[in-house]
Amino acid sequence: MAWNAEPHLNWILTHARMKGLQVLVDGLGLRLRDEGMALMRVRLGMRTTHPLTAALSFLWEHGGGPIVQFTAPQGLETRSSYVGSPMEYIGQTRKPFRCSLREPLGPEDHVVLHELQRRGGTDYYGVPLDFVEGAGGILMLVSEDPEGFAEDDIVLIDTLATAIAPIAEAHGNFHLATAIAQSYLGPRTGQRVLDGQITRGDIEQTEAAILFSDIRGWTALNTTQSAEHALDVANRYFEVMSDAIDNNEGEILKFLGDGVLALFPSDGTDAGQVKACRQAISAAHAALGIAKLADLPVPFGTGIHYGALLYGNVGARERVDFTVLGQSVNIASRVEAFCGRLDEPVLISAPVARIAGVATRHVGTEVLKGMDAPMALHAPIGI
């Protein structure tokens, strides 16, 4: 049948582009199916830049339940599900790929084609979505019509793909920006940057429990071990701290050499202060447990303080950094520095001990660097 592409193009460019790629893929499958194209599947895939995710896919299947966005982990290029597949061919050549599933397939045909044929697919067609930057995406459709796709169907798909490409690229760029912001700054801080808090001097005063932690004996480790081994140990330690902090609603703001700076935000109320301090203590406790289970080969110390701080952008005119400043941050760092000297894995300041209201041991009263008055340091009992 001869298709009128205009209604579908209008829908793509007005409604679907505002709703996200999953809505676009779902709607496209349903619209074309309702107008007579016997579609079995529509899939949109594209590569992404993310430390854990190599690609995003959005899938619609006729007669199936709701399917949400799914991801492919890093290392996709080496997996049998990708090597030799239509996706690899389209991705490398940037040319369309079509395969009739009405005839017997051979061993040279990828397993995905055999699977679609067994499920009743009769024709496979994939078309590249060309982006201005990057590798682009791929739109793949599978027919279950006994005759497969008609040539008018292919013309329509190619036409619609040209309209879908820039929309997919825009959503991909947003995903990239989100991934970069959250990977390098954390979910809360990264979202602030995405929301526009990017100007130097754009700073707010807030309160939080501040957690500092670092590896003991890092200099000796680097002296006696290879750089590769030291880096592996550091990454294992960072994973331990990340799991513990994330599970207690904190956020790692920075990795500082062999150390970690994390915040547990508070709304400033009495209840908020108690919650933040207890979450930080719980994270420190959890980190020790995770490290033991993971057989982490190095000890580490953790210091916790609570107080006001400045949170936002500082830096030069063309190079800014999202960070925290203030005496409370300095105190947390100084508290952690006493972990090795006092042989304690976790130390908390007197304000944290008072606010948290948990059982502690007084381990010393010390003059912290940069402070005139001595401060009592406590170790949470049970850690």
Side-chain angles (χ1 to χ4, degrees):
M1 62 176 290
W3 292 91
N4 179 9
E6 185 173 353
H8 303 296
L9 291 172
N10 288 338
W11 173 80
I12 289 170
L13 296 173
T14 56
H15 176 80
R17 73 181 182 89
M18 303 297 294
K19 301 295 184 178
L21 295 181
Q22 188 62 55
V23 170
L24 188 153
V25 168
D26 290 344
L28 184 65
L30 292 171
R31 289 174 66 90
L32 296 182
R33 180 91 190 181
D34 288 346
E35 290 209 14
M37 188 183 293
L39 284 178
M40 172 181 152
R41 168 187 278 194
V42 177
R43 180 178 178 182
L44 191 159
M46 57 185 179
R47 302 302 299 269
T48 185
T49 301
H50 190 278
L52 300 177
T53 303
L56 300 174
S57 283
F58 306 86
L59 181 67
W60 170 88
E61 289 194 341
H62 173 60
I67 301 174
V68 297
Q69 165 191 326
F70 59 98
T71 61
Q74 291 291 353
L76 174 68
E77 297 84 354
T78 64
R79 290 179 169 81
S80 59
S81 59
Y82 181 78
V83 176
S85 69
M87 288 187 69
E88 182 186 45
Y89 173 86
I90 299 170
Q92 290 183 350
T93 66
R94 307 309 300 165
K95 295 179 180 179
F97 175 93
R98 186 175 182 185
C99 178
S100 173
L101 306 179
R102 300 186 299 281
E103 304 296 332
L105 299 173
E108 71 279 3
D109 295 304
H110 194 266
V111 62
V112 70
L113 298 174
H114 287 270
E115 178 186 351
L116 291 170
Q117 185 184 63
R118 285 194 298 270
R119 294 178 54 196
T122 59
D123 208 346
Y124 180 104
Y125 183 61
V127 58
L129 304 176
D130 293 326
F131 294 172
V132 175
E133 299 286 346
I138 302 173
L139 181 66
M140 298 152 282
L141 295 91
V142 180
S143 174
E144 58 183 13
D145 190 297
E147 301 299 322
F149 288 118
E151 289 309 309
D152 284 341
D153 296 341
I154 299 298
V155 171
L156 176 66
I157 294 168
D158 288 343
T159 301
L160 299 182
T162 61
I164 292 171
I167 297 171
E169 182 174 16
H171 282 278
N173 287 339
F174 177 77
H175 182 273
L176 171 60
T178 302
I180 291 174
Q182 294 187 353
S183 295
Y184 284 88
L185 297 174
R188 293 192 190 95
T189 304
Q191 190 58 53
R192 286 173 176 265
V193 171
L194 292 172
D195 289 341
Q197 192 172 341
I198 59 175
T199 304
R200 182 177 66 164
D202 192 354
I203 292 175
E204 65 176 273
Q205 182 165 322
T206 187
E207 294 183 18
I210 305 133
L211 181 151
F212 258 98
S213 180
D214 70 3
I215 296 173
R216 295 188 194 173
W218 177 247
T219 301
L221 178 68
N222 277 273
T223 301
T224 59
Q225 302 291 332
S226 68
E228 291 78 9
H229 176 73
L231 180 61
D232 178 67
V233 169
N235 282 333
R236 290 173 62 186
Y237 159 71
F238 291 144
E239 287 181 3
V240 166
M241 295 306 302
S242 178
D243 288 345
I245 291 166
D246 289 347
N247 290 339
N248 284 279
E249 300 182 34
E251 180 178 50
I252 293 177
L253 186 61
K254 289 185 181 298
F255 294 113
L256 303 166
D258 65 316
V260 171
L261 167 60
L263 300 181
F264 296 80
S266 166
D267 60 10
T269 64
D270 290 346
Q273 293 178 11
V274 171
K275 180 180 179 182
C277 289
R278 290 184 176 179
Q279 285 174 330
I281 294 171
S282 178
H285 183 275
L288 294 173
I290 297 170
K292 185 176 181 179
L293 290 174
D295 197 24
L296 189 68
V298 291
F300 55 92
T302 301
I304 302 170
H305 180 61
Y306 181 91
L309 49 86
L310 297 176
Y311 177 69
N313 288 297
V314 299
R317 287 189 300 272
E318 297 181 358
R319 175 66 172 88
V320 296
D321 186 22
F322 211 108
T323 190
V324 287
L325 300 169
Q327 183 72 338
S328 296
V329 181
N330 298 332
I331 292 173
S333 175
R334 306 294 187 253
V335 170
E336 188 279 326
F338 275 93
C339 287
R341 186 182 307 178
L342 300 177
D343 195 26
E344 295 287 348
V346 178
L347 288 174
I348 62 177
S349 67
V352 173
R354 174 181 53 80
I355 293 169
V358 299
T360 65
R361 291 183 291 108
H362 175 257
V363 295
T365 300
E366 304 287 345
V367 177
L368 305 185
K369 183 179 179 181
M371 296 183 62
D372 296 330
M375 177 180 287
L377 300 178
H378 301 259
I381 292 177
I383 296 184

